[in-house]
Amino acid sequence: MSSASLLQLLATQARLSDGELAERLDMTEEAVRAQREQWEKEGVILGYQAVVNEEYEHDSKVAAFIEVKMTVKMTPERDGGFDRLAMRISRFDEVSSCYLASGGFDLLVLVEGKSMREIARFVAEKLSTLEGVLSTSTHFHLKTYKKNGCVFEAPVQTERLAVAP
């Protein structure tokens, strides 16, 4: 067994008990519990979440992916630059995820709100006004096909059509 195996199993099947994890990895339950608790304390494991099919959520919300281009003067530097602006953006309640990215933009930000108007207001009043933000491009989320390794499949129709004699 390796620590990587335990971490991978926790990432994909966090509902398993320490006993079930130990059995699958040929470890003792105490060793699994100690390793998991150590990772939680060190910040390796930040939390546990369920992947929920949005079709069944009662609270309607709108999500958008926002590409953020930083000004030329924003450069990567130790404890500053990209990191400082990304952490500032990450602290907004509307932001659910924030990533440094390669390509034509610098950050990819996932934002959630009650309406498209609320997200547009966030971009106009909070995000685009930050020093260091040169431009933004907003893409609204329409449908999820796969999230965190879980494929969202529509129910398969098994009913046959009637055949006329």
Side-chain angles (χ1 to χ4, degrees), residues 109-120:
V109 181
L110 177 58
V111 175
E112 294 179 343
K114 293 179 183 172
S115 67
M116 292 173 82
R117 182 177 300 231
E118 186 177 286
I119 290 176

Side-chain angles (χ1 to χ4, degrees), residues 36-119:
R36 182 182 42 78
E37 289 173 354
Q38 179 183 348
W39 283 332
E40 290 170 355
K41 184 179 176 184
E42 292 173 349
V44 173
I45 296 176
L46 300 173
Y48 301 91
Q49 298 178 349
V51 178
V52 178
N53 187 338
E54 291 97 1
E55 302 265 335
Y56 298 97
E57 285 187 297
H58 299 292
D59 295 334
S60 63
K61 60 183 172 186
V62 176
F65 303 96
I66 303 172
E67 299 172 353
V68 177
K69 180 81 173 155
M70 296 184 194
T71 60
V72 176
K73 62 184 173 184
M74 292 295 293
T75 55
E77 56 188 62
R78 185 187 272 312
D79 298 324
F82 287 157
D83 291 341
R84 188 175 22 247
L85 182 57
M87 290 309 297
R88 186 166 180 200
I89 291 170
S90 296
R91 288 188 188 98
F92 285 115
D93 291 336
E94 297 88 346
V95 174
S96 61
S97 299
C98 183
Y99 305 97
L100 181 63
S102 63
F105 55 94
D106 301 304
L107 295 176
L108 181 62
V109 181
L110 177 58
V111 175
E112 294 179 343
K114 293 179 183 172
S115 67
M116 292 173 82
R117 182 177 300 231
E118 186 177 286
I119 290 176

